[in-house]
Amino acid sequence: MDTPRRVEHQQTDRGYIPVYATGVIEQPWASYSATDHGVWAQLFRRQREILPGRACREFLDNVERIGLGADAIPKFDDLNRVLRRATGWELVGVEGLLPDHVFFDHLAHRRFPVTWWIRKPEQLDYIAEPDLFHDLFGHVPLLMNPVFADYMQAYGRGGMKAHGIDADALMNLTRLYWYTVEFGLIRTGEGLRIYGSGIVSSKGESIYCLESDAPNRLGFDLERVMRTRYKIDTYQQTYFVIDGFEQLFEATRPDFAPIYAKLKTLPAYPAGEVLPGDRVYHRGTGEGWVRSGDV
Ligand code: HBI
Ligand code: FE
């Protein structure tokens, strides 16, 4: 199975990687090889092994509810029958990273773009751009949760507006996505748990984000997150903790335009900084941090 032709290389927030055509494509399920299904199975089994006790209940329960299994790459059509009934969301196959405004438009219409191809066996532990495993296993289960599903649509609508304002507004919103949807933690009665897709789809970071002393773990605050730079090719130096998905949805209620205008006049914070006003669950030791590369 050859990956589709690449339209162009573009500087994106995940570094210098290809941004593909914006078309939606049918999942070419019959074209997946035994190796492709094997990569899915290996990644799925590995995460199913380590996530209980680390990922939040909403994520784990919805992996089951939507019917993800280890034996083969799931069919988007099968998942869409369950997902549409649960929250009105659906998956659409895409070739990879989309231009921001195209991505936001999908979210604003309750469509989640899922890359149709899966990584190679030699890329098991790290791949620069989101592949099928990251998108499907990482992002889709929580779209079964009504509050999180509403947040994702509100985020997409916000993205459409930010796209019309300026690059700073877009960066603020991209940081919000990064520190919640991709790398977010949530407080529970049993302690901190993971809900971020970038974490749950990575074995190393699933362990590191909760158990290493190196990173900060700070209470979520909308403007604080929008001003905080992030890492694109190492584990995060700071993880932000929400009290619940309602808090996330509530955060998207206000009109962001005045917030963007205020933040435009203020400097961004380095990824690993801890500030006097922060709610500190854990102040990181900073061990092993790479100082450069903050976006
Ligand atoms: N495109 N297919 C796809 N998937 C993403 O997660 C994605 C994207 N384009 C832009 C993007 N994410 C980020 O810039 C978001 O913060 C908007
Ligand atoms: Fe993602």
Side-chain angles (χ1 to χ4, degrees), residues 210-222:
L210 291 177
E211 293 164 36
S212 166
D213 284 338
N216 305 313
R217 296 177 192 96
L218 307 175
F220 173 85
D221 170 88
L222 181 75

PDB file of all heavy atoms in Angstrom, residues 210-222:
ATOM      1  N   LEU A 210       2.523  11.033  34.000  1.00  0.00           N
ATOM      2  CA  LEU A 210       1.989  10.907  35.375  1.00  0.00           C
ATOM      3  C   LEU A 210       3.080  10.528  36.369  1.00  0.00           C
ATOM      4  O   LEU A 210       2.982  10.856  37.554  1.00  0.00           O
ATOM      5  CB  LEU A 210       0.892   9.825  35.415  1.00  0.00           C
ATOM      6  CG  LEU A 210      -0.419  10.139  34.685  1.00  0.00           C
ATOM      7  CD1 LEU A 210      -1.361   8.940  34.760  1.00  0.00           C
ATOM      8  CD2 LEU A 210      -1.094  11.373  35.259  1.00  0.00           C
ATOM      9  N   GLU A 211       4.100   9.810  35.927  1.00  0.00           N
ATOM     10  CA  GLU A 211       5.028   9.206  36.893  1.00  0.00           C
ATOM     11  C   GLU A 211       6.407   9.857  36.948  1.00  0.00           C
ATOM     12  O   GLU A 211       7.116   9.700  37.932  1.00  0.00           O
ATOM     13  CB  GLU A 211       5.159   7.703  36.592  1.00  0.00           C
ATOM     14  CG  GLU A 211       3.821   6.995  36.876  1.00  0.00           C
ATOM     15  CD  GLU A 211       3.721   5.612  36.259  1.00  0.00           C
ATOM     16  OE1 GLU A 211       4.741   4.908  36.211  1.00  0.00           O
ATOM     17  OE2 GLU A 211       2.608   5.267  35.816  1.00  0.00           O
ATOM     18  N   SER A 212       6.787  10.632  35.928  1.00  0.00           N
ATOM     19  CA  SER A 212       8.112  11.265  35.994  1.00  0.00           C
ATOM     20  C   SER A 212       8.052  12.519  36.875  1.00  0.00           C
ATOM     21  O   SER A 212       7.038  13.226  36.905  1.00  0.00           O
ATOM     22  CB  SER A 212       8.565  11.675  34.585  1.00  0.00           C
ATOM     23  OG  SER A 212       9.680  12.556  34.699  1.00  0.00           O
ATOM     24  N   ASP A 213       9.143  12.795  37.586  1.00  0.00           N
ATOM     25  CA  ASP A 213       9.221  14.026  38.393  1.00  0.00           C
ATOM     26  C   ASP A 213       9.601  15.226  37.532  1.00  0.00           C
ATOM     27  O   ASP A 213       9.552  16.366  37.988  1.00  0.00           O
ATOM     28  CB  ASP A 213      10.274  13.870  39.519  1.00  0.00           C
ATOM     29  CG  ASP A 213       9.722  12.996  40.664  1.00  0.00           C
ATOM     30  OD1 ASP A 213       8.460  12.902  40.752  1.00  0.00           O
ATOM     31  OD2 ASP A 213      10.514  12.444  41.424  1.00  0.00           O
ATOM     32  N   ALA A 214       9.987  14.988  36.286  1.00  0.00           N
ATOM     33  CA  ALA A 214      10.536  16.084  35.469  1.00  0.00           C
ATOM     34  C   ALA A 214       9.499  17.138  35.085  1.00  0.00           C
ATOM     35  O   ALA A 214       9.767  18.329  35.212  1.00  0.00           O
ATOM     36  CB  ALA A 214      11.200  15.522  34.215  1.00  0.00           C
ATOM     37  N   PRO A 215       8.311  16.774  34.614  1.00  0.00           N
ATOM     38  CA  PRO A 215       7.389  17.806  34.106  1.00  0.00           C
ATOM     39  C   PRO A 215       6.576  18.459  35.217  1.00  0.00           C
ATOM     40  O   PRO A 215       6.345  17.876  36.275  1.00  0.00           O
ATOM     41  CB  PRO A 215       6.457  17.027  33.174  1.00  0.00           C
ATOM     42  CG  PRO A 215       6.394  15.659  33.776  1.00  0.00           C
ATOM     43  CD  PRO A 215       7.749  15.412  34.390  1.00  0.00           C
ATOM     44  N   ASN A 216       6.120  19.708  34.903  1.00  0.00           N
ATOM     45  CA  ASN A 216       5.158  20.384  35.792  1.00  0.00           C
ATOM     46  C   ASN A 216       3.771  19.808  35.533  1.00  0.00           C
ATOM     47  O   ASN A 216       3.451  19.424  34.407  1.00  0.00           O
ATOM     48  CB  ASN A 216       5.103  21.878  35.455  1.00  0.00           C
ATOM     49  CG  ASN A 216       6.463  22.537  35.510  1.00  0.00           C
ATOM     50  OD1 ASN A 216       7.205  22.349  36.467  1.00  0.00           O
ATOM     51  ND2 ASN A 216       6.823  23.263  34.438  1.00  0.00           N
ATOM     52  N   ARG A 217       2.936  19.808  36.579  1.00  0.00           N
ATOM     53  CA  ARG A 217       1.517  19.501  36.400  1.00  0.00           C
ATOM     54  C   ARG A 217       0.759  20.642  37.081  1.00  0.00           C
ATOM     55  O   ARG A 217       0.846  20.801  38.304  1.00  0.00           O
ATOM     56  CB  ARG A 217       1.167  18.128  36.997  1.00  0.00           C
ATOM     57  CG  ARG A 217       1.899  16.988  36.270  1.00  0.00           C
ATOM     58  CD  ARG A 217       1.658  15.607  36.855  1.00  0.00           C
ATOM     59  NE  ARG A 217       2.612  14.668  36.259  1.00  0.00           N
ATOM     60  CZ  ARG A 217       3.772  14.321  36.815  1.00  0.00           C
ATOM     61  NH1 ARG A 217       4.114  14.851  37.985  1.00  0.00           N
ATOM     62  NH2 ARG A 217       4.615  13.494  36.229  1.00  0.00           N
ATOM     63  N   LEU A 218       0.092  21.439  36.239  1.00  0.00           N
ATOM     64  CA  LEU A 218      -0.512  22.689  36.721  1.00  0.00           C
ATOM     65  C   LEU A 218      -2.007  22.700  36.419  1.00  0.00           C
ATOM     66  O   LEU A 218      -2.445  22.122  35.425  1.00  0.00           O
ATOM     67  CB  LEU A 218       0.136  23.882  36.005  1.00  0.00           C
ATOM     68  CG  LEU A 218       1.670  23.979  36.030  1.00  0.00           C
ATOM     69  CD1 LEU A 218       2.140  25.157  35.177  1.00  0.00           C
ATOM     70  CD2 LEU A 218       2.186  24.090  37.469  1.00  0.00           C
ATOM     71  N   GLY A 219      -2.770  23.421  37.254  1.00  0.00           N
ATOM     72  CA  GLY A 219      -4.206  23.534  37.024  1.00  0.00           C
ATOM     73  C   GLY A 219      -4.484  24.287  35.730  1.00  0.00           C
ATOM     74  O   GLY A 219      -3.791  25.265  35.401  1.00  0.00           O
ATOM     75  N   PHE A 220      -5.496  23.827  34.983  1.00  0.00           N
ATOM     76  CA  PHE A 220      -5.876  24.466  33.710  1.00  0.00           C
ATOM     77  C   PHE A 220      -6.404  25.877  33.961  1.00  0.00           C
ATOM     78  O   PHE A 220      -7.209  26.115  34.862  1.00  0.00           O
ATOM     79  CB  PHE A 220      -6.965  23.635  33.030  1.00  0.00           C
ATOM     80  CG  PHE A 220      -7.554  24.291  31.793  1.00  0.00           C
ATOM     81  CD1 PHE A 220      -6.946  24.155  30.562  1.00  0.00           C
ATOM     82  CD2 PHE A 220      -8.702  25.088  31.896  1.00  0.00           C
ATOM     83  CE1 PHE A 220      -7.484  24.776  29.418  1.00  0.00           C
ATOM     84  CE2 PHE A 220      -9.243  25.703  30.770  1.00  0.00           C
ATOM     85  CZ  PHE A 220      -8.630  25.564  29.535  1.00  0.00           C
ATOM     86  N   ASP A 221      -5.942  26.812  33.111  1.00  0.00           N
ATOM     87  CA  ASP A 221      -6.502  28.169  33.087  1.00  0.00           C
ATOM     88  C   ASP A 221      -6.402  28.614  31.637  1.00  0.00           C
ATOM     89  O   ASP A 221      -5.330  28.531  31.034  1.00  0.00           O
ATOM     90  CB  ASP A 221      -5.691  29.112  34.005  1.00  0.00           C
ATOM     91  CG  ASP A 221      -6.118  30.562  33.798  1.00  0.00           C
ATOM     92  OD1 ASP A 221      -7.064  30.992  34.478  1.00  0.00           O
ATOM     93  OD2 ASP A 221      -5.539  31.226  32.903  1.00  0.00           O
ATOM     94  N   LEU A 222      -7.535  29.071  31.070  1.00  0.00           N
ATOM     95  CA  LEU A 222      -7.591  29.327  29.623  1.00  0.00           C
ATOM     96  C   LEU A 222      -6.487  30.259  29.139  1.00  0.00           C
ATOM     97  O   LEU A 222      -5.704  29.899  28.244  1.00  0.00           O
ATOM     98  CB  LEU A 222      -8.960  29.916  29.261  1.00  0.00           C
ATOM     99  CG  LEU A 222      -9.166  30.200  27.768  1.00  0.00           C
ATOM    100  CD1 LEU A 222      -9.410  28.904  26.997  1.00  0.00           C
ATOM    101  CD2 LEU A 222     -10.336  31.158  27.534  1.00  0.00           C
TER     102      LEU A 222
END
